[in-house]
Amino acid sequence: ADTRVDQSLRLYVQQVEEAMAAERRRRAEGEEQWLSAEAADLSHVYYLQEFVADTMGGRMSLAEYEAFDCSDDLLRVRQLAKSEVLQVGQIRRGRARHRAFFFKVRARLRG
């Protein structure tokens, strides 16, 4: 995953960074100043988890997940790229491996 090539991923990264910066400012000004660095990091993980779920088709129950099909979206991305190598930022409906990879890439870019 390369934000220099994948413009959608770059926009996602920017959106998450802006949201996390706003959350840090809110906490610094509010009642939650007492939060430890670990708690703040955990809240960012939860935010990122929700962001990834929303980006990749939404939260769902196990029953919904079993019926969840993302093959049409992956085909769309393959045809758009004219390649079997997909840009993660282009995927709109993903199953566990797509979501996990997107989460990992996004978390790693955060540092």
Side-chain angles (χ1 to χ4, degrees):
D2 186 347
T3 57
R4 295 171 296 177
V5 176
D6 191 339
Q7 293 177 4
S8 294
L9 180 60
R10 181 179 34 226
L11 291 174
Y12 289 147
V13 168
Q14 182 180 1
Q15 182 180 351
V16 170
E17 287 298 326
E18 289 171 359
M20 289 182 175
E23 180 66 15
R24 283 190 296 272
R25 285 191 302 275
R26 186 186 69 77
R27 284 204 175 129
E29 297 168 356
E31 298 175 7
E32 298 173 354
Q33 294 175 6
W34 56 269
L35 278 179
S36 67
E38 293 83 14
D41 284 345
L42 189 57
S43 73
H44 289 172
V45 169
Y46 287 134
Y47 174 82
L48 185 54
Q49 170 191 336
E50 291 298 316
F51 181 84
V52 169
D54 291 345
T55 302
M56 293 278 181
R59 297 183 84 190
M60 59 192 73
S61 68
L62 183 56
E64 291 169 317
Y65 182 76
E66 288 174 354
F68 183 73
D69 183 21
C70 62
S71 58
D72 287 344
D73 189 55
L74 296 177
L75 179 61
R76 175 192 62 81
V77 175
R78 282 187 186 98
Q79 289 173 340
L80 185 67
K82 297 180 177 127
S83 173
E84 290 296 310
V85 178
L86 307 180
Q87 294 181 359
V88 69
Q90 298 294 319
I91 300 172
R92 300 288 176 257
R93 292 178 57 89
R95 291 187 58 89
R97 69 175 156 245
H98 309 108
R99 292 172 186 231
F101 181 70
F102 187 51
F103 184 93
K104 179 181 177 181
V105 166
R106 186 54 207 99
R108 184 171 285 176
L109 289 171
R110 182 175 184 269

